[in-house]
Amino acid sequence: CHLIHYLRLGHHLIVLNYLIYTFDMLKSASSEDINITDAIFDGVKVRVFEPPAKGDERLKRSVVFIHGGGWALASARTSLYNNLCGIMAESLNAVIVSVEYRLVPEVCFPEQFHDALRATKHFLQPDVLAEYSVDPSRIAISGDSAGGNLAAAVCQQLSKEENLTVRPKLQALIYPVLQAFDFNTPSYQQNMNMAILPRSVMINYWIDYFSGNYDLVHSLLINNHTALDVGQALSFRRHLNWTSLLPSSFKKNYKPVIQTTGKAEIIQEIPALLDVRAVPLLAENETLQLQPKTYILTCENDVLRDDGVMYAKRLENAGVEVTLDHFDDCFHGCLIFTVWPTDFSAGIQTRKSYIKWLDENL
């Protein structure tokens, strides 16, 4: 894929998505008992999963789900997410709205955020909820990886909007990517060469999301963009001090990588690196205090582990009730790997725990 991109025969992400969809045709669909329909919510494609009505039941709970894939890959329509959302709908007896936001390279930040926000706000309208027989007081926003990023950003934005009549009861974030400030947290250092999501690949996803220059990869990798002499970053440093936000079991013997002098022009070229709509972990405490009850799932073998753990701690410090569900033997992306031939025990284990929390709290 990268050779094709280098030769300018096409964007490597487009080629990779084509391969994903081709392989996906071999996989099975979700339960036949769930009614699956495609709709448009304020110009954004969504896929809605509805379980059959049960007896005299009037209203169902609901989850707005935002899929992962580095803001560039996969789809609400691929079998892995189709399967997950179908099982959620069946297990929770809930209406699941899976958001089909536009991808890189078709669009870049902030369009993915805008798509997720528009679709969610449309669904939260009382008349739309009534159409799907959804209880307005029992709605969660959730997502995995880059979808967890979008779910957290959408939740933060919704908490600031005064005119909303319906607000989410919960947010559930699955190994979310939440910051591009420090690429040398202990989990980034520990898992820099881990399969599925090595550090260099995550940095490339960020650059693609921001339509940046790949020449910046090395500078980002050593935190030149947030050096002590980069004035734009100084006010955010207190929000991402992992030496105080992480427990000792996660910090281990790793040391912070803080450059004295760096390259302020990186932030000037890509200001979104410090935009809370892209990096929710940098939000002010006043915003965090407004967040709903939260579930965050993290995996030990994941560069993003500390993003989730730090967000959990910051939310907790802001007075939000948080469940941090950490798995020592699991890896990034495992939750969707439950369908043959990638039906891993890690996927079954994490999915079961995630759905159990939703069932008990939604």
Side-chain angles (χ1 to χ4, degrees):
C1 288
H2 285 278
L3 176 61
I4 290 171
H5 185 54
Y6 176 76
L7 295 175
R8 298 186 178 182
L9 299 177
H11 198 289
H12 65 279
L13 292 172
I14 295 176
V15 176
L16 187 53
N17 250 335
Y18 173 78
L19 295 175
I20 290 173
Y21 290 131
T22 301
F23 177 73
D24 190 65
M25 294 174 65
L26 304 176
K27 292 181 174 289
S28 61
S30 59
S31 169
E32 294 180 358
D33 294 332
I34 302 300
N35 182 40
I36 302 175
T37 57
D38 293 324
I40 304 292
F41 284 3
D42 192 15
V44 180
K45 295 177 182 179
V46 298
R47 174 159 284 194
V48 183
F49 299 75
E50 298 176 87
K54 293 185 177 180
D56 59 353
E57 175 189 60
R58 292 184 57 205
L59 298 178
K60 288 183 167 60
R61 48 193 175 178
S62 182
V63 180
V64 176
F65 187 85
I66 309 174
H67 73 82
W71 309 282
L73 302 175
S75 163
R77 290 164 171 76
T78 55
S79 64
L80 292 175
Y81 286 108
N82 220 48
N83 180 67
L84 172 62
C85 291
I87 288 174
M88 289 170 63
E90 190 171 25
S91 301
L92 298 169
N93 189 34
V95 175
I96 310 299
V97 176
S98 188
V99 180
E100 185 78 306
Y101 58 90
R102 291 169 295 166
L103 302 174
V104 172
E106 176 191 355
V107 298
C108 297
F109 176 81
E111 297 309 316
Q112 286 83 350
F113 166 77
H114 287 156
D115 285 356
L117 180 62
R118 289 204 316 275
T120 303
K121 288 179 68 174
H122 178 87
F123 182 62
L124 292 179
Q125 294 178 102
D127 58 330
V128 178
L129 295 177
E131 178 185 345
Y132 288 99
S133 300
V134 168
D135 185 341
S137 67
R138 304 178 73 191
I139 301 169
I141 296 181
S142 184
D144 67 317
S145 194
N149 168 282
L150 293 170
V154 165
C155 246
Q156 289 185 7
Q157 182 60 38
L158 292 177
S159 72
K160 301 173 187 177
E161 301 200 6
E162 299 179 355
N163 297 326
L164 287 180
T165 57
V166 178
R167 298 182 184 277
K169 179 183 181 181
L170 310 170
Q171 67 173 336
L173 313 177
I174 313 302
Y175 31 75
V177 48
L178 298 170
Q179 59 89 25
F181 191 95
D182 184 356
F183 290 110
N184 289 275
T185 62
S187 62
Y188 264 112
Q189 295 187 54
Q190 172 183 304
N191 300 298
M192 66 173 66
N193 296 314
M194 185 62 62
I196 304 292
L197 190 65
R199 178 169 60 174
S200 59
V201 170
M202 189 63 244
I203 292 176
N204 281 335
Y205 278 137
W206 278 115
I207 288 177
D208 287 324
Y209 188 34
F210 295 146
S211 191
N213 191 324
Y214 290 128
D215 292 342
L216 298 177
V217 168
H218 179 70
S219 287
L220 292 172
L221 190 148
I222 61 175
N223 291 342
N224 268 344
H225 61 304
T226 54
L228 294 177
D229 67 337
V230 178
Q232 304 98 310
L234 282 178
S235 63
F236 293 102
R237 186 169 297 282
R238 58 193 168 89
H239 295 330
L240 209 148
N241 179 9
W242 60 257
T243 61
S244 63
L245 291 172
L246 295 179
S248 57
S249 59
F250 286 176
K251 289 186 287 188
K252 300 183 174 68
N253 295 317
Y254 293 106
K255 304 299 181 185
V257 175
I258 303 174
Q259 305 296 344
T260 304
T261 58
K263 294 183 177 181
E265 58 268 25
I266 297 176
I267 299 297
Q268 294 168 2
E269 182 178 338
I270 312 179
L273 285 163
L274 300 177
D275 189 323
V276 294
R277 296 174 301 170
V279 286
L281 186 52
L282 299 187
E284 297 295 330
N285 290 335
E286 291 77 9
T287 298
L288 298 188
Q289 291 170 0
L290 301 174
Q291 300 315 296
K293 187 175 183 179
T294 299
Y295 170 90
I296 299 178
L297 187 151
T298 57
C299 297
E300 182 66 20
N301 304 306
D302 182 6
V303 293
L304 301 179
R305 180 199 68 190
D306 295 344
D307 284 25
V309 176
M310 287 189 288
Y311 197 49
K313 186 62 176 178
R314 288 204 63 211
L315 286 170
E316 186 180 81
N317 290 344
V320 177
E321 186 177 347
V322 180
T323 297
L324 177 62
D325 199 7
H326 181 68
F327 291 84
D328 285 322
D329 57 349
C330 293
F331 54 91
H332 187 83
C334 63
L335 185 116
I336 61 172
F337 292 132
T338 60
V339 180
W340 186 90
T342 57
D343 48 341
F344 301 136
S345 60
I348 302 296
Q349 180 185 9
T350 50
R351 187 183 69 190
K352 180 179 178 180
S353 189
Y354 164 60
I355 291 178
K356 181 175 184 290
W357 186 89
L358 286 172
D359 191 32
E360 293 174 349
N361 291 277
L362 186 57

